[in-house]
Amino acid sequence: MLGESVGLGPRLITVVLDGLRYQGATQWLGYIEHMVEKGQAARYKVISELPSLSRPLYEVLLTGTPAYMNGITTNQVVRLSGEESLFHLAKNAGLTTAAAAYHWVSELYNKAPFNPLRDRHQHDEQLPIMHGSFYFEDQYPDSHLFADAEFLRQAYNPDFLYVHSMNIDDAGHRFGGGSKEYEGSVRIADSILALAVPQWIAAGYTILITADHGMTVSGQHGGTTPEEREVALYGIGRPFTPGVYDEPIPQLAIAPLMAGLLGLMPTVRMTPFLIPGLRLPAPSGV
């Protein structure tokens, strides 16, 4: 069975494809949609929180709190989060955490402001993200980013690995969400996932693939249109029941979902939601 492992507790890899709108995911993620079509993955439609901007939605995804509550209201808020994130939850439960991600993730949960000469690679088991590889150029190739993630996985065997890709968002801003460059960046990410996901399944991980926000044809996001707010969520492995679930779910559901997939109690600031096709085990409470 997908995601089954022997002698291991729950383990999770979450991939965030920055800027990938729902329609782009369903049309151009050919390998991931193959998994859905063949009964190996579940697909959901997620409605992002507002504002549909990157840094505020990183905080939403990882803490399950809305912007008015957490204070990360714009990309220009550069400080550590005041919330308890998934990294904090996992670390406090004795799990190993890792991230290959844009440097804003480090600024939210490890060190702010980011110093590229000091903070590119971080290995400190006292930090919420114990093992981090953080890039600071939007054009940093997704091929390199996923190689960074795979290095962290093989070297440190994390229980929770967060992988955050930026090339789709970058192409959308530079060329527009209706451009061949935007489409091409999605197809490249899919081809990389086609190499990585089978290895992650074999290693016993449950896998989530989603996005923070979408992208308009003109290359914008931050507002309220479906192109900006509708994103996909794919669940691969136990305990997902494969299929397509059309009823939209709120983005605030993802953080408590990740906690549940790791066997952890959500924080008091997270609001668990009932997600169709999913039956989580009782949390350990650690």
Side-chain angles (χ1 to χ4, degrees), residues 202-226:
Y205 284 94
T206 298
I207 302 160
L208 293 181
I209 301 169
T210 190
D212 49 350
H213 54 73
M215 184 72 62
T216 66
V217 171
S218 62
Q220 303 297 320
H221 59 86
T224 65
T225 66

Side-chain angles (χ1 to χ4, degrees), residues 177-211:
S179 65
K180 67 178 183 180
E181 290 86 357
Y182 180 81
E183 175 185 339
S185 67
V186 180
R187 294 181 184 273
I188 289 171
D190 181 71
S191 69
I192 299 170
L193 288 168
L195 294 174
V197 166
Q199 297 184 57
W200 298 344
I201 291 170
Y205 284 94
T206 298
I207 302 160
L208 293 181
I209 301 169
T210 190

Side-chain angles (χ1 to χ4, degrees), residues 46-47 49 60 64-66 249-257 270-273:
V46 173
I47 308 301
E49 282 289 296
V60 167
T65 59
I249 62 175
Q251 197 171 46
L252 290 172
I254 294 180
L257 167 62
M270 296 177 185
T271 303
F273 293 85

Side-chain angles (χ1 to χ4, degrees), residues 20-22 43-49 60-61 209-214 226 228-234 245-254 257 275:
L20 178 56
R21 66 177 180 267
Y22 183 82
R43 186 226 297 160
Y44 303 88
K45 178 183 286 187
V46 173
I47 308 301
S48 86
E49 282 289 296
V60 167
L61 286 167
I209 301 169
T210 190
D212 49 350
H213 54 73
E228 295 167 270
R229 296 191 71 182
E230 294 181 356
V231 300
L233 171 67
Y234 297 92
Y245 299 92
D246 294 321
E247 186 68 25
I249 62 175
Q251 197 171 46
L252 290 172
I254 294 180
L257 167 62
I275 297 177

Side-chain angles (χ1 to χ4, degrees), residues 12-33:
L12 174 65
I13 294 176
T14 296
V15 177
V16 175
L17 300 175
D18 201 299
L20 178 56
R21 66 177 180 267
Y22 183 82
Q23 184 184 37
T26 60
Q27 289 182 334
W28 302 323
L29 289 180
Y31 168 73
I32 301 302
E33 283 292 319

Side-chain angles (χ1 to χ4, degrees), residues 18 48 80 102 108 154 249 281:
D18 201 299
S48 86
L80 287 173
Y102 195 56
L108 282 168
Q154 294 191 29
I249 62 175

Side-chain angles (χ1 to χ4, degrees), residues 55 58 62 80 85 87 97-124 127-141 144-149 151-152 156 160-166:
R55 195 188 300 252
Y58 303 165
L62 285 160
L80 287 173
S85 73
F87 297 115
T97 63
Y102 195 56
H103 68 286
W104 290 0
V105 175
S106 174
E107 288 183 325
L108 282 168
Y109 308 112
N110 270 16
K111 298 179 181 181
F114 182 84
N115 181 333
L117 297 180
R118 178 195 66 191
D119 300 333
R120 170 83 167 95
H121 299 288
Q122 301 177 36
H123 300 284
D124 185 343
L127 291 172
I129 305 173
M130 299 176 184
H131 304 287
S133 179
F134 300 104
Y135 60 99
F136 46 90
E137 299 287 352
D138 293 13
Q139 299 87 1
Y140 186 71
H144 292 43
L145 176 275
F146 280 93
D148 293 340
F151 168 78
L152 292 172
Y156 300 102
F160 177 45
L161 172 61
Y162 191 76
V163 186
H164 171 238
S165 146
M166 187 60 85

